[in-house]
Amino acid sequence: MHIKIFTSLLFLTTLLGVQQTQAQCHIYDLVATPGDCVNGSFIVTLDFQYNDIGNEGFNVQGGGFQYGNFEYADLPISLGPFPGDGTSVYEFVAIDNQHPDCSDFALVGPVSCAGGNCDIFDFVAEPGDCNSDGTYQLWLDFQVENPGNAFFDVTYQGNSIGFFEIADLPVVIGHFNDNGNPHPEIVVCINDHPDCCAEDGFDAPNCNGSNCNIFDMTAVHGDCINGMFFVTIDFEYENVGDDGFTIQGNGVNYGVFGYGDLPVVLGPFAGNGTTQYEFGVQDVNHPDCSDAVNLGLVECPPTGNCDIFDLVADPGDCNPSGTYNVTINFGVTNTNNNFFKVIYQGNVIVNHASIANLPYVIHNFQDNGEDFPVLVVCMNEQPDCCAEVEFQAPVCQPVCHIFEVVAEPHACDD
């Protein structure tokens, strides 16, 4: 009985050993074939036989370089280009990703592609996103003929900032520091070929908000016209954000402007001789980057009574609620302040709006079903300085909306 059990176990062990041997990964007959020379370089085609391989593909490496991961179904694969310098021997090793001991290798070279001088062309250096440390990514790409070498050097301001393989182009320098230079110039040279170089410059992005600077701000008022005047805002700046700046003053936000719009003209303002006019600018992207100026009092000689003229009201598109926006605009002379109110059906619907923000948009206007609403505009604290305008209301119906539907089960009856 013991002999029979021992014999059965021996047979089972032998059978499992045979199955394991049969299932062993095998990569063999690896062939690396160099292609024709093109501009001093060549492509290598890899192919091989295999059986019982893993499910995660294989990788190719050699000479200390990792050429990447591939699927067996992609065979044959092409690698390169490689410089045909007539001296280099290139090694290629294919390794199964699940079975590191399952591999094969081949050698190529030396391959000579002599036939012209080394030449770098179409070199581009392009800045990328900023990093938290104030540096930024830098993308490099170029074409090269007859390099005679597989590598290139990158230098900036005479210092090396990288050593890369031509086959890896385009390459990214993850943390490039331009040392505050707004127009950096990058130089690339083929390794061991100091005469085979190219350079490219670019505009550096602003990656350090603390360097933003707005200074020498001025506010100059123009001549008085019917008791009103305009103000011209200008200033110097450096390292500002991309989204422009805002202008505020006396509790009024005059809007967002682009730096290319300078100088900016604001107004009109009332030259009443009592208002201390002040203006401040602030970078949109860097709130701590700002400047301010005090224009002071401006008194325009009286030329007549306050008058609102050319008042217009323009209704916009309907909102889902059945309301719509109305844009109003007008001119005013001889007012003693800069603010106005809008009245509809005896109710103030806009109060303390600045004439410097005209045209002004009344949002979500409700006309109470009137076909021809009438708006009254008056200057604040000047009840005798008013004007009215009538406009045709658009037909706006609220959008039907059924919501918060609830279905609740109740107790069963008999």
Side-chain angles (χ1 to χ4, degrees), residues 3 79 111 143 145 154 187 234 289 308 324 342 371 375 396:
I3 295 176
L79 302 176
V111 176
Q143 303 293 323
E145 293 181 352
V154 182
V187 178
D234 203 2
C289 184
I308 294 175
Y324 51 91
V342 181
D371 294 331
L375 299 179
C396 296

Side-chain angles (χ1 to χ4, degrees), residues 27-369:
I27 293 177
Y28 59 99
D29 291 345
L30 175 63
V31 178
T33 306
D36 296 333
C37 290
V38 178
N39 296 325
S41 300
F42 63 95
I43 300 293
V44 173
T45 300
L46 291 187
D47 201 3
F48 56 83
Q49 302 298 316
Y50 57 87
N51 53 47
D52 299 322
I53 39 85
N55 298 322
E56 299 179 4
F58 65 96
N59 68 86
V60 179
Q61 52 187 278
F65 298 99
Q66 173 63 254
Y67 296 105
N69 291 303
F70 306 90
E71 298 294 333
Y72 286 96
D74 296 335
L75 287 169
I77 61 174
S78 297
L79 302 176
F82 301 95
D85 55 17
T87 59
S88 299
V89 176
Y90 300 97
E91 177 188 35
F92 302 95
V93 183
I95 306 172
D96 185 88
N97 285 330
Q98 286 182 273
H99 308 289
D101 295 333
C102 182
S103 63
D104 197 7
F105 77 97
L107 301 176
V108 171
V111 176
S112 178
C113 293
N117 296 326
C118 175
D119 180 33
I120 295 176
F121 58 98
D122 292 342
F123 173 41
V124 176
E126 182 176 347
D129 296 333
C130 293
N131 302 310
S132 59
D133 59 359
T135 63
Y136 50 91
Q137 294 180 337
L138 183 63
W139 296 73
L140 306 177
D141 198 11
F142 60 84
Q143 303 293 323
V144 61
E145 293 181 352
N146 305 311
N149 195 295
F151 309 95
F152 66 94
D153 302 299
V154 182
T155 58
Y156 173 60
Q157 294 180 335
N159 299 314
S160 175
I161 59 173
F163 176 77
F164 305 93
E165 187 176 8
I166 296 174
D168 291 336
L169 285 168
V171 299
V172 180
I173 299 174
H175 291 265
F176 177 70
N177 187 352
D178 57 27
N179 299 324
N181 185 357
H183 306 288
E185 290 190 354
I186 306 299
V187 178
V188 293
C189 294
I190 300 301
N191 188 244
D192 297 330
H193 287 266
D195 296 330
C196 188
C197 300
E199 66 179 35
D200 187 40
F202 58 91
D203 293 331
N206 177 28
C207 292
N208 191 345
S210 62
N211 289 336
C212 175
N213 190 15
I214 294 176
F215 57 100
D216 291 346
M217 179 179 173
T218 58
V220 179
H221 70 82
D223 295 336
C224 290
I225 301 176
N226 295 323
M228 312 294 290
F229 66 94
F230 288 86
V231 175
T232 301
I233 303 294
D234 203 2
F235 54 86
E236 299 297 324
Y237 59 90
E238 59 187 11
N239 298 322
V240 291
D242 297 328
D243 295 329
F245 60 94
T246 61
I247 303 180
Q248 303 180 37
N250 298 97
V252 178
N253 188 327
Y254 299 107
V256 178
F257 305 87
Y259 288 95
D261 298 332
L262 286 168
V264 175
V265 178
L266 302 177
F269 300 97
N272 53 23
T274 59
T275 302
Q276 289 279 353
Y277 289 102
E278 58 184 9
F279 299 93
V281 296
Q282 183 181 55
D283 185 86
V284 171
N285 299 114
H286 310 293
D288 294 334
C289 184
S290 61
D291 198 5
V293 64
N294 187 3
L295 178 64
L297 300 177
V298 177
E299 184 172 5
C300 294
T303 59
N305 295 325
C306 175
D307 179 37
I308 294 175
F309 59 95
D310 293 339
L311 173 60
V312 294
D314 183 21
D317 295 333
C318 296
N319 300 316
S321 62
T323 63
Y324 51 91
N325 296 345
V326 179
T327 301
I328 62 172
N329 200 6
F330 59 88
V332 62
T333 59
N334 300 312
T335 179
N336 60 18
N337 72 92
N338 298 298
F339 303 98
F340 65 92
K341 57 187 174 181
V342 181
I343 303 168
Y344 176 58
Q345 293 183 340
N347 298 312
V348 176
I349 61 174
V350 173
N351 194 17
H352 207 72
S354 173
I355 58 176
N357 289 140
L358 288 169
Y360 184 87
V361 178
I362 304 172
H363 294 279
N364 300 309
F365 177 72
Q366 173 60 261
D367 58 23
N368 298 326

